[in-house]
Amino acid sequence: MTFSPIWTDIDWDHRGRQDSFLCMEHADIGLDIIQIPISVLNNGSGPTVLLLGGVHGDEYEGPVALTRLLAEIDLERLSGRLIVMPAVNLPAVLAGTRSSPLDGGNLNRSFSPTATDSPTVRIARYLSDVIFPLCDYCFDSHTAGSCANHYPAAYVSLTGDRAKDMAALDTLEYINSPLSWGQPVLDGPFSEWVAVEHGVTYFGSEMGGCSHLQSNMLWHSERAIYRLLDHIKVLPLDEQWSGTLESRWITGTQGGMIYAPNNGVLLAMHEPGNNVRSGDLAGLIYTPEIPSQAPLELHYPKDGILTATATTGRVKRGSLTHWIMDESSKEALLASAS
Ligand SMILES: [Zn+2]
């Protein structure tokens, strides 16, 4: 008899639908197990696609989009294999927190091969060792979490393989989110880095945030997933997702971040999605605890597209208050990866 830190009764090659769990044990949780939901839908021939939600537990659109997909999908229309995990870091999802309450683990920073064993690292290892090697594509649905609101954006990790990157950007263009960006794969303890090592084309989204589920962001999240599945010929598109939207290519650097220079209450002057100009007033930070103190003025550091703003009300020195990204093109993004 052998023991594994995570086990499941899923048969990865079974034709049909399986709804089950990854069962995880760990010394930190005693004799109990954590049951992470996983569904595998396999029909016909085609690629294998991993759909992830709940990498961060305070991001709600992805988990709900995938819950709805599992309720609605018709297996007979599928060509390929879907692996659907709506609540992949389940302890964080149940707590509604970015990181796991069990170990403080941020799943998307837990993919280092030398990371110390913990519940979150066990989930990362299982994805790395068992699930990513099965996959051709991944879609990892995120939001800006508790602290910010992100204009709907989808992205893909670029690998430097020109033909593969061109195909990935064509797919991203078809996904047709209001904002699209591609970036060279991040080298570090990130899921995308491990997935790309296994040959997976890695898409993701940043749509919404601000501590609650927003119906318009849920719509964009679902639409992005269904349009991906259509473009890679895994699931034909329903009429409701077929309309096209205005979409802009973007790229970003840390030079487009504004951080609060002091503590206080933020008034952001513009909503995400707006074009902004260098030097214009971005926000005011008030200090009601010292009413005589004039509000601090924040100014945009560059021209660009405001992609996200803080939604916490009170900000602390060092808090990200605004994120401005640059307008780009598919060709420029492709060149950036080669
Ligand atoms: Zn996230």
Side-chain angles (χ1 to χ4, degrees), residues 47-91:
T48 295
V49 188
L50 173 63
L51 302 177
L52 288 177
V55 167
H56 297 131
D58 60 346
E59 303 177 7
Y60 306 105
E61 277 75 358
V64 172
L66 296 182
T67 299
R68 285 158 61 117
L69 178 144
L70 286 171
E72 294 165 4
I73 198 163
D74 176 359
L75 179 70
E76 297 305 315
R77 297 180 68 217
L78 201 66
S79 301
R81 180 169 55 174
L82 288 186
I83 302 173
V84 187
M85 302 186 71
V88 60
N89 196 359
L90 185 68

Side-chain angles (χ1 to χ4, degrees), residues 15 32 48 50 88 91 141 168-169 174 179 218 225 254 274 281 293 297 300 317 337:
R15 291 284 174 135
D32 295 347
T48 295
L50 173 63
V88 60
S141 191
L169 288 168
Y174 183 81
L179 300 177
L218 176 61
I225 292 166
Q254 286 168 312
N274 275 286
L281 186 66
Q293 187 166 283
E297 293 189 0
Y300 294 114
R317 178 175 166 79

Side-chain angles (χ1 to χ4, degrees), residues 45-314:
S45 61
T48 295
V49 188
L50 173 63
L51 302 177
L52 288 177
V55 167
H56 297 131
D58 60 346
E59 303 177 7
Y60 306 105
E61 277 75 358
V64 172
L66 296 182
T67 299
R68 285 158 61 117
L69 178 144
L70 286 171
E72 294 165 4
I73 198 163
D74 176 359
L75 179 70
E76 297 305 315
R77 297 180 68 217
L78 201 66
S79 301
R81 180 169 55 174
L82 288 186
I83 302 173
V84 187
M85 302 186 71
V88 60
N89 196 359
L90 185 68
V93 168
L94 293 177
T97 52
R98 180 171 173 81
S99 300
S100 172
L102 297 178
D103 54 16
N106 175 342
L107 180 56
N108 205 25
R109 304 291 185 278
S110 299
F111 285 81
S112 166
T114 58
T116 303
D117 185 35
S118 72
T120 307
V121 167
R122 287 193 170 186
I123 298 168
R125 293 256 161 84
Y126 197 84
L127 288 167
S128 302
D129 297 344
V130 178
I131 297 185
F132 287 148
L134 299 171
C135 296
D136 301 293
Y137 298 92
C138 176
F139 191 94
D140 183 8
S141 191
H142 286 259
T143 81
S146 305
C147 58
N149 196 27
H150 204 293
Y151 200 64
Y155 58 87
V156 68
S157 296
L158 301 175
T159 63
D161 176 328
R162 189 172 173 85
K164 192 166 184 178
D165 288 344
M166 280 177 69
L169 288 168
D170 285 348
T171 303
L172 192 62
E173 187 168 35
Y174 183 81
I175 289 173
N176 182 234
S177 290
L179 300 177
S180 302
W181 86 82
Q183 63 188 14
V185 62
L186 295 170
D187 187 4
F190 306 104
S191 53
E192 63 180 82
W193 182 77
V194 178
V196 167
E197 288 278 296
H198 285 290
V200 177
T201 304
Y202 201 91
F203 295 92
S205 61
E206 294 285 352
M207 298 183 174
C210 51
S211 292
H212 69 281
L213 178 63
Q214 302 178 76
S215 62
N216 61 332
M217 298 298 178
L218 176 61
W219 183 86
H220 281 291
S221 301
E222 292 182 280
R223 179 176 176 275
I225 292 166
Y226 282 116
R227 290 183 69 90
L228 166 67
L229 295 178
D230 181 46
H231 197 251
I232 59 177
K233 302 192 179 344
V234 169
L235 185 70
L237 198 64
D238 280 342
E239 176 69 25
Q240 64 171 312
W241 310 113
S242 63
T244 53
L245 304 174
E246 181 192 340
S247 180
R248 291 173 283 179
W249 294 100
I250 55 171
T251 186
T253 65
Q254 286 168 312
M257 309 280 201
I258 303 178
Y259 298 99
N262 219 331
N263 301 351
V265 179
L266 173 70
L267 173 64
M269 305 309 290
H270 303 103
E271 293 294 319
N274 275 286
N275 288 308
V276 297
R277 294 177 60 86
S278 176
D280 282 357
L281 186 66
L284 296 165
I285 296 180
Y286 289 93
T287 48
E289 62 274 36
I290 313 173
S292 60
Q293 187 166 283
L296 273 171
E297 293 189 0
L298 306 177
H299 296 271
Y300 294 114
K302 62 200 297 189
D303 293 352
I305 299 167
L306 181 62
T307 55
T309 56
T311 54
T312 48
R314 285 202 75 86

Side-chain angles (χ1 to χ4, degrees), residues 24-34 102 119 122:
M24 175 170 68
E25 63 173 24
H26 193 269
D28 290 0
I29 49 179
L31 298 175
D32 295 347
I33 57 168
I34 290 171
L102 297 178
R122 287 193 170 186

